[in-house]
Amino acid sequence: MGEPLSNYENVKETINQLLFHTDLGPTHITVSTVGILPMLRKILKDAEWPAVRLAVSLHSAVSETRKMMMPSSFDTFLEDLIVWTEEYFIKHESRRRHLTFEYVMLSKINDTAAHAEALIDFARRVGKVRINLIPYNFTGSVYRDSLPADFARFEELLKDAEVIVTRRRTMGDDIAAACGQLIVEKSQTT
């Protein structure tokens, strides 16, 4: 748990050690981040940052919605992220890979047709992007997972617009160990 780019040097060193001492290739490792832009910019300048995949937790291409969901967001985040992606693709034009944007599907929060259209527009502006739709794992918060029909409709809108989209399979929720659920279990036992 935690934001890997807040522990930048240790994450970089760990990944480099894994790549050096194992058979793992860089495209088999993904660093998932909320998108701390100064650290994303640092990656572009750091010759020792490994050539691993990056996934940014987007969760909405509507600024107001993203700020409500992610207090670390700010008014110009989405536009600044687009500028960063342009720089990323210029620096890594020879690499045959894409950026992933993670999108947790929340009922009546970010799963509407309007949110899908905003995400489609964002994806078109960015370019080589994969949208990873993620079911929300119940953690006792006010949020709820998108209804199956709403999830499917949202996914279909993206596919119809030729946005590369995948749906993450939930694992561990049957034992309260899916993403975000371990903190709930710990909170209930203390």
Side-chain angles (χ1 to χ4, degrees), residues 108-122:
K108 311 297 183 227
I109 303 289
N110 66 348
D111 65 351
T112 67
H115 279 92
E117 290 303 319
L119 185 55
I120 290 164
D121 179 60
F122 182 86

Side-chain angles (χ1 to χ4, degrees):
M1 289 179 30
E3 168 57 41
L5 297 187
S6 291
N7 194 12
Y8 183 92
E9 293 300 328
N10 288 324
V11 168
K12 177 176 75 173
E13 177 63 20
T14 299
I15 296 169
N16 281 324
Q17 290 297 318
L18 284 169
L19 293 173
F20 183 77
H21 294 288
T22 71
D23 292 335
L24 278 175
T27 59
H28 290 112
I29 299 174
T30 300
V31 174
S32 180
T33 174
V34 296
I36 301 173
L37 285 165
M39 302 314 281
L40 289 172
R41 289 184 191 108
K42 184 175 180 176
I43 287 171
L44 295 180
K45 295 180 175 113
D46 187 347
E48 294 177 6
W49 181 263
V52 296
R53 294 183 186 269
L54 292 171
V56 177
S57 297
L58 188 65
H59 307 316
S60 182
V62 176
S63 184
E64 296 77 25
T65 304
R66 187 172 196 280
K67 284 192 315 188
M68 178 193 68
M69 294 169 59
M70 302 183 71
S72 65
S73 197
F74 50 92
D75 288 340
T76 63
F77 175 82
L78 295 170
E79 290 302 316
D80 292 350
L81 184 60
I82 288 171
V83 170
W84 177 82
T85 60
E86 291 168 355
E87 294 168 5
Y88 176 87
F89 288 128
I90 288 169
K91 177 167 174 85
H92 300 299
E93 66 181 332
S94 63
R95 292 189 187 158
R96 293 183 55 212
R97 59 188 176 147
H98 55 267
L99 284 171
T100 298
F101 289 100
E102 297 170 325
Y103 199 99
V104 172
M105 296 290 290
L106 300 175
S107 182
K108 311 297 183 227
I109 303 289
N110 66 348
D111 65 351
T112 67
H115 279 92
E117 290 303 319
L119 185 55
I120 290 164
D121 179 60
F122 182 86
R124 286 181 175 152
R125 291 179 65 196
V126 169
K128 293 190 303 186
V129 63
R130 175 183 304 273
I131 305 296
N132 189 5
L133 299 179
I134 305 170
Y136 173 70
N137 298 312
F138 181 71
T139 61
S141 78
V142 297
Y143 296 119
R144 297 290 177 262
D145 189 20
S146 293
L147 297 172
D150 293 339
F151 200 120
R153 177 187 40 78
F154 192 95
E155 182 179 16
E156 216 39 54
L157 288 170
L158 270 62
K159 287 181 177 178
D160 288 348
E162 299 182 357
V163 173
I164 299 170
V165 61
T166 55
R167 182 189 290 217
R168 184 178 295 171
R169 188 178 71 190
T170 297
M171 296 173 63
D173 58 338
D174 58 328
I175 58 170
C179 184
Q181 291 183 322
L182 293 177
I183 191 71
V184 174
E185 185 70 23
K186 182 174 172 46
S187 297
Q188 292 173 348
T189 60
T190 55

